Amino acid sequence: MAVLEILTYPDPRLKQEARPVERFDEELRAFVRDLEQTMRAGPGGVGIAAPQVGRFERIVVVDVSGRKETASHGCMALINPEITAWEGLAVGREGCMSVPDYTGNVVRAESVRLLARDPYGEALEFDCEGFEARAVQHEMDHLDGLLFLDRLVSRRNDLFRRKVYKK
Ligand SMILES: [Zn+2]
């Protein structure tokens, strides 16, 4: 396994749209393991998307189980994820491994229903809420070339410099 290099803003590759995964093979599963390890190597990493490491395929990993008082499905490796329903709106603070110096307040759906494939190609369905739903939406944005910076209502009011820079 390997910790992969993270692309950081304003790298133009972060704006690239990712294509669907077509081959569910051992190479994909090895990549998903590297992606998960890369997420865990970051400070407070709760999610990661393949484009953040320069692979432009629709793959995300989300794991919010380390956060207390948060509903969680554990570690979810989601291939070709789609949101099929959503409910409610909430504002919450987000960070991103590709935007290490800032956090921001972002409006997201409070709960989402999610369809995806696992790394073996089996169909998955999840109902996510709260912080897990937020993390899924954040990571799926990376697949469409969007960062949380693109979702701020106001950079002046909703963008915050991190007090402690952790590398
Ligand atoms: Zn991110």
Side-chain angles (χ1 to χ4, degrees):
M1 292 212 288
V3 172
L4 307 169
E5 192 185 338
I6 300 268
L7 306 182
T8 55
Y9 178 82
D11 192 310
R13 287 173 289 176
L14 290 167
K15 289 182 182 289
Q16 193 169 322
E17 197 176 330
R19 62 187 178 276
V21 170
E22 288 171 1
R23 293 166 61 100
F24 294 82
D25 55 10
E26 191 49 45
E27 192 279 330
L28 173 69
R29 291 185 281 279
F31 172 73
V32 169
R33 287 192 292 273
D34 286 347
L35 198 58
E36 183 185 343
Q37 194 182 29
T38 305
M39 173 184 80
R40 298 199 189 288
V46 294
I48 192 168
Q52 290 181 275
V53 297
R55 179 159 167 155
F56 300 95
E57 290 189 280
R58 303 188 80 81
I59 305 165
V60 307
V61 177
V62 171
D63 185 356
V64 300
S65 62
R67 281 177 66 117
K68 291 194 178 80
E69 292 164 30
T70 297
S72 166
H73 291 93
C75 188
M76 298 187 290
L78 306 170
I79 316 297
N80 300 341
E82 286 177 58
I83 289 172
T84 57
W86 62 272
E87 241 178 57
L89 288 172
V91 178
R93 190 69 73 91
E94 296 184 11
C96 179
M97 293 171 91
S98 295
V99 189
D101 296 345
Y102 292 91
T103 62
N105 283 336
V106 183
V107 178
R108 301 279 186 192
E110 279 180 314
S111 64
V112 294
R113 172 159 291 176
L114 190 65
L115 288 182
R117 300 273 166 185
D118 76 6
Y120 292 87
E122 298 296 318
L124 298 172
E125 188 169 13
F126 292 110
D127 287 309
C128 302
E129 58 179 42
F131 188 73
E132 186 177 62
R134 173 171 298 277
V136 165
Q137 291 169 82
H138 174 113
E139 298 312 331
M140 285 179 64
D141 266 357
H142 283 295
L143 306 180
D144 295 322
L146 291 172
L147 297 173
F148 78 82
L149 299 172
D150 301 308
R151 298 260 185 208
L152 301 177
V153 175
S154 153
R155 284 208 174 200
R156 184 169 161 172
N157 295 322
D158 296 329
L159 188 61
F160 307 92
R161 188 171 269 282
R162 280 193 195 274
K163 290 196 179 73
V164 182
Y165 179 66
K166 289 187 243 170
K167 186 92 187 180

